[in-house]
Amino acid sequence: MTTSVAARDQHLDEIRALMAAHSPSIHALLVPSEDAHQSEYVSERDKRRQFISGFTGSAGLALITAKEALLWTDGRYFLQATQQLSDRWKLMRMGEDPPVEVWIADNLLDGAVIAIDSWCISVESAQRYEQAFLKKNQTLLQLSSDLVDEVWKERPPNDALPVNVQPVEFAGRSVAEKINELRERLQHEKATAIIITALDEVAWLYNVRGDDVHYSPVVHSYAIVTLHGAFFYVDKRKVTNEIENYMAENGIDIREYHMVQPDVSLLSSGQLEGSIVNGNLHVEKDIKGVEHLKIWIDSNSCCLALYSKLRQDQVLMLQSPIALPKAVKNPMELDGLRKAHIRDGAAVVQYLAWLDNQMQEHYRASGYFSEANGSQKKEHLEKIKLTEVSVSDKLEGFRAEKEHFKGLSFPTISSVGPNAAIIHYSPEANTCAELDADKIYLCDSGAQYMDGTTDITRTVHFGKPSEHEKSCYTAVLKGHIALDAAVFPNGTTGHALDILARTPLWKNGLDYRHGTGHGIGSYLNVHEGPHLISFRPSARNVPLQASMTVTDEPGYYEDGNFGIRLENVLIVKEANTKFNFGAKGFLSFEHITWAPYQTKLINTALMTPAEIEWVNLYHSDCRKILESYLNDQEKEWLWRATEPITVSS
C-alpha cells in the first residue's frame, strides 16, 4: 500500500473538509495505528494511519487539525518518520515532546471537539484523553464511521481466509482446560462474564489460528465467556465444517463478527442467550438481578465502542486473566519453541554461509572471516546484484524448507550501513540499498512455525570493520551476555534488569532508544506481553516468571552510519543457587536461539575472561545443536564461525 505525496496531501484536504462539514464541527481528528482489537500489527485494510500520513512504522498516532498534521511515534522510528513524512506533517517524538492529549489540551481552543473512531481506541486511552480534556472543557467525540475510510477509495477488501485448529500436540492444553481455568478466575473475582478482544488471546483460548494479519497467525474475532456459555464472534465465511464441529464439541457458540456489539448490550442487560445447558437454552442472567452482573474487560485491549455498551457499575476493569497463562508457556509449548529455534538457527547459518560466499564471489569482499583491506564489485557481466530485499528473500527460502514453517513473524529488517541505524527499517524492492562489503549489515528476522515463533538478530561485516565499529559491537555483545547470565530473585521485573544490557554502552557514553526485550508467542504474535524488559515504566507492572519467554536485544545506532543489534530468545527458568535468601527462589535464563556471533567484530581486549568463556561455550553448543541440519560446506562454515576466541594481545 503506497500512495504518492500529492495523493496523501489531497486525502488530508478531504479529511479536513469532512471534519468541517460534520455536525458538530470537528476541530481535531485522532487516527491511531491500532485496529478494533488494539493490535500492534494490523491487516492492510486497517492501516489508516499509514494511508493518511505515509509513515509505515508499526507504532504511531496521527492528529489532524484544521491547520496542522502531527504524528507521534517512539524512538525506534524517529529516523524513519523523518524520512517518510512530507513537509505538511510534524514529527512528535514520544518521550521528548508532550503526549498527544497534553498537546491538545494546551493548543486547541476551549470546548474543542476531538473525534475518534471508537472501535480503534482502547478504554484506557480514551479515559486518559478525557481526563486531560477537562482542562478546557474539550470533548472526545465517538464517530459512527471512520473518516479515513470515507476518503480511502481503494481500501483493501475484507478477505475471508479460513480459521484453523491449533492441535493440542502444539498447544499443550485443551480448550476445555483453558475455559474451565478462566471460569475459575471469573468466580474468584466475582465476575459473571468476560469480553476478550485481543486477537492473540482469542486464538490462544480457543486454540485457533488464521491468516487475517500478515505475520501474526490470528483471526479477526472476539470472545465472550460467561459462567455457563462461550461465544466466538467471527466472519462466518471463514468457518469450515471442521471449525463448526470443533466449536460445537467444546460448547462454543459461533456468532457473526459484527454481532459482538449488540451481544455486549444483551450481556449488560442479562439477556445474552448462551450455550445449551442440560438440554435447555441458557440465558446469562444473574439470579440476583442485572445490577449484580460483573463484566470483566481489559482496558488496554477493549475498545471504547464495546465499553460504551456497558454500565460503568457493571465493569470489572483488570488486566486480562488470559495474558499471564498465555505468557507462561506450558511444557509442550516450551518444547516446541526449543525445536523451532533449532531449525530456525540452522536456516540463519545456511543464510550467512551463502551470503558470505556471494559477497566474496560477486563483490570481492574479504568475507565473514577475513579483515583484509580492499573490496570492489566485479564487472556485473552476470548481472548479479545483491540487495537488502533479494538477500532477505533468500533467507526466507531457507526457512521455508524447514518443518512446520508457516511464514515470517514480521517483515525482515535487512539493512546495510546507514539503513541499519533505522531501528525498524523495512526495505522496499524498488528503493532498497545494495549490499556493500565496506558497511555493516544488520539482519533482524523471524518466522512462524506451528510449534513456535522465532526472532533473531545478527550484525555482520564482510569487509574490514573500523575499530569504532568493533568497540560498539563489543559493548552491545557485553550487554547481551550480561542479561543472558543474570540471576535474580522471584518478583523481579524487566524494568530492574534493563540496566544490565545498557551498562557496557553507558560506560562509553552510548545508549539505544528501544526496550531490551519482549515476550514472544507460541505460534502467535512475535511481540507478546504482559511482561517486557525495558526502561519504560510499564516494565514495572509484571514480574518475570519461570517458563516465560523474553528476547535479549541491546543495540547501538549512529544515524547516517551504521546500526548494531544482537538478539536471542530466552526462557526464564528456576536458578540453582547456593543459597535462597528470604525463601524467595531465584530465576535465570536459558537461551534457545542458535547462530554464531561474528568474532572478527569482537574486540576481545574489551572482554572479560568470563565473557570470552560464555562466547566459546555458546559457539560450542551451536556446533553440536545445528550441524545435523547442515550440508558439508555449511558445517565447515559453521566450524570456522565458532572457533574459540582468546584475549587479544
Side-chain angles (χ1 to χ4, degrees):
M1 178 187 67
T2 56
T3 54
S4 67
V5 173
R8 289 198 299 273
D9 288 349
Q10 181 182 341
H11 296 145
L12 199 56
D13 293 337
E14 291 170 349
I15 288 279
R16 286 179 171 139
L18 290 173
M19 290 164 58
H22 193 276
S23 181
S25 293
I26 296 170
H27 301 96
L29 176 69
L30 287 159
V31 185
S33 302
E34 292 77 18
D35 59 11
H37 305 269
Q38 304 306 299
S39 309
E40 177 186 14
Y41 293 109
V42 300
S43 67
E44 292 300 309
R45 65 184 273 104
D46 287 321
K47 293 182 177 179
R48 298 178 178 89
R49 188 227 62 226
Q50 176 177 325
F51 169 79
I52 200 67
S53 70
F55 168 62
T56 62
S58 65
L61 172 66
L63 178 71
I64 300 168
T65 71
K67 294 183 178 180
E68 294 187 87
L70 306 97
L71 182 123
W72 277 258
T73 192
D74 63 50
R76 295 173 297 171
Y77 295 112
F78 290 169
L79 185 55
Q80 180 178 333
T82 301
Q83 295 175 351
Q84 291 183 331
L85 293 175
S86 77
D87 56 10
R88 292 187 68 177
W89 286 84
K90 179 181 179 183
L91 173 61
M92 303 295 284
R93 292 171 167 82
M94 290 180 177
E96 298 177 15
D97 294 316
V100 63
E101 68 272 20
V102 174
W103 189 93
I104 289 171
D106 288 345
N107 290 275
L108 297 188
L109 297 174
D110 288 14
V113 174
I114 298 92
I116 184 75
D117 180 342
S118 59
W119 287 96
C120 297
I121 185 172
S122 69
V123 176
E124 187 278 329
S125 294
Q127 292 183 341
R128 178 161 39 87
Y129 293 171
E130 288 175 330
Q131 185 63 36
F133 297 167
L134 292 174
K135 177 179 176 181
K136 287 187 178 176
N137 198 30
Q138 295 165 335
T139 303
L140 184 66
L141 174 69
Q142 298 186 44
L143 292 171
S144 56
S145 63
D146 197 299
L147 298 189
V148 175
D149 293 350
E150 294 187 34
V151 304
W152 194 354
K153 303 304 181 187
E154 297 180 4
R155 188 180 174 211
N158 190 7
D159 295 328
L161 301 170
V163 181
N164 302 303
V165 175
Q166 175 73 341
V168 175
E169 66 188 270
F170 297 123
R173 297 179 66 198
S174 69
V175 179
E177 284 180 82
K178 293 177 179 181
I179 291 177
N180 287 338
E181 182 181 274
L182 178 59
R183 286 182 174 137
E184 288 174 7
R185 285 296 311 277
L186 292 178
Q187 290 174 321
H188 182 266
E189 298 292 344
K190 297 181 171 55
T192 48
I194 182 169
I195 303 167
I196 303 160
T197 53
L199 298 181
D200 63 331
E201 293 190 357
V202 178
W204 180 88
L205 178 66
Y206 288 161
N207 283 349
V208 292
R209 300 294 188 268
D211 294 299
D212 288 353
V213 179
H214 289 322
Y215 313 108
S216 300
V218 293
V219 185
H220 282 139
S221 56
Y222 296 93
I224 294 177
V225 176
T226 70
L227 297 177
H228 304 285
F231 305 85
F232 181 48
Y233 296 87
V234 66
D235 182 340
K236 286 192 175 181
R237 296 178 301 161
K238 303 174 184 178
V239 177
T240 62
N241 289 336
E242 180 193 12
I243 288 293
E244 195 167 353
N245 294 333
Y246 169 80
M247 291 293 173
E249 289 167 6
N250 286 286
I252 300 165
D253 291 341
I254 301 175
R255 308 249 175 151
E256 280 289 357
Y257 181 77
H258 66 267
M259 290 301 296
V260 67
Q261 193 176 45
D263 274 11
V264 167
S265 295
L266 289 174
L267 180 66
S268 177
S269 61
Q271 300 299 317
L272 180 60
E273 294 184 346
S275 304
I276 302 298
V277 179
N278 298 326
N280 299 307
L281 186 63
H282 187 85
V283 178
E284 295 303 334
K285 185 170 183 178
D286 193 298
I287 57 173
K288 297 177 183 177
V290 173
E291 65 274 11
H292 291 282
L293 290 171
K294 273 291 179 200
I295 300 166
W296 191 331
I297 67 164
D298 185 326
S299 63
N300 287 302
S301 58
C302 182
C303 63
L304 188 58
L306 295 182
Y307 174 74
S308 64
K309 298 300 178 183
L310 301 172
R311 290 210 330 257
Q312 287 193 15
D313 63 341
Q314 293 178 325
V315 175
L316 176 67
M317 210 177 294
L318 292 172
Q319 178 183 285
S320 168
I322 293 172
L324 269 179
K326 177 167 59 65
V328 178
K329 307 297 187 256
N330 64 56
M332 205 166 288
E333 288 175 320
L334 291 175
D335 183 60
L337 279 162
R338 290 185 182 100
K339 290 175 178 175
H341 279 80
I342 291 171
R343 298 193 303 274
D344 198 67
V348 171
V349 168
Q350 290 174 307
Y351 171 64
L352 290 174
W354 170 84
L355 187 55
D356 182 21
N357 176 268
Q358 294 292 300
M359 291 300 293
Q360 292 183 64
E361 172 67 21
H362 300 293
Y363 289 78
R364 292 184 180 170
S366 52
Y368 187 91
F369 303 107
S370 171
E371 289 190 60
N373 276 312
S375 64
Q376 61 184 61
K377 280 183 279 186
K378 287 185 177 181
E379 292 298 322
H380 280 297
L381 299 176
E382 307 165 70
K383 298 186 177 177
I384 296 293
K385 181 180 179 182
L386 301 178
T387 69
E388 292 166 329
V389 168
S390 69
V391 297
S392 69
D393 288 345
K394 185 69 175 181
L395 172 56
E396 182 175 356
F398 284 121
R399 284 187 161 118
E401 296 169 352
K402 302 296 180 279
E403 186 181 17
H404 301 315
F405 176 81
K406 302 297 287 185
L408 301 183
S409 55
F410 58 95
T412 298
I413 302 170
S414 174
S415 51
V416 175
N419 291 339
I422 303 172
I423 297 169
H424 270 206
Y425 173 72
S426 183
E428 300 287 343
N430 57 341
T431 58
C432 69
E434 185 175 3
L435 263 66
D436 188 329
D438 296 318
K439 294 177 181 175
I440 272 180
Y441 173 64
L442 184 156
C443 186
D444 185 345
S445 65
Q448 295 286 4
Y449 302 92
M450 283 192 73
D451 51 353
T453 303
T454 69
D455 188 0
I456 174 175
T457 309
R458 290 296 184 264
T459 303
V460 297
H461 198 301
F462 292 102
K464 183 175 177 61
S466 70
E467 289 306 312
H468 176 58
E469 288 170 333
K470 285 185 183 181
S471 67
C472 291
Y473 181 96
T474 306
V476 171
L477 177 60
K478 286 167 71 72
H480 178 76
I481 294 170
L483 180 59
D484 180 281
V487 177
F488 49 95
N490 269 304
T492 302
T493 67
H495 191 273
L497 296 178
D498 183 74
I499 189 175
L500 296 175
R502 294 180 194 273
T503 299
L505 288 156
W506 286 355
K507 286 180 178 177
N508 292 309
L510 307 177
D511 204 353
Y512 50 97
R513 286 193 177 103
H514 57 78
T516 300
H518 56 82
I520 196 163
S522 182
Y523 185 36
L524 270 176
N525 291 350
V526 71
H527 292 166
E528 182 176 88
H531 60 291
L532 68 161
I533 299 175
S534 177
F535 59 90
R536 294 186 174 88
S538 56
R540 297 190 183 104
N541 296 343
V542 179
L544 298 183
Q545 295 183 30
S547 298
M548 282 180 167
T549 57
V550 68
T551 59
D552 172 6
E553 50 179 312
Y556 173 65
Y557 313 89
E558 279 192 10
D559 290 355
N561 291 321
F562 65 86
I564 296 164
R565 184 162 63 253
L566 298 171
E567 177 183 20
N568 286 350
V569 172
L570 312 176
I571 293 173
V572 185
K573 64 176 184 177
E574 293 182 1
N576 183 20
T577 55
K578 183 177 181 181
F579 302 104
N580 185 16
F581 182 80
K584 285 184 175 183
F586 283 73
L587 300 171
S588 60
F589 293 118
E590 168 197 351
H591 46 250
I592 60 172
T593 301
W594 303 105
Y597 305 97
Q598 190 177 28
T599 55
K600 84 173 186 185
L601 271 171
I602 301 173
N603 182 344
T604 55
L606 303 175
M607 303 276 282
T608 67
E611 290 165 344
I612 289 174
E613 183 183 2
W614 185 97
V615 170
N616 288 336
L617 179 59
Y618 178 85
H619 279 168
S620 174
D621 288 341
C622 278
R623 286 182 177 182
K624 297 171 191 172
I625 289 167
L626 299 180
E627 64 179 2
S628 64
Y629 292 84
L630 308 175
N631 64 31
D632 289 343
Q633 285 181 317
E634 292 160 351
K635 279 183 196 175
E636 183 182 348
W637 186 93
L638 176 62
W639 274 74
R640 285 191 69 190
T642 54
E643 287 177 357
I645 59 174
T646 56
V647 178
S648 300
S649 55

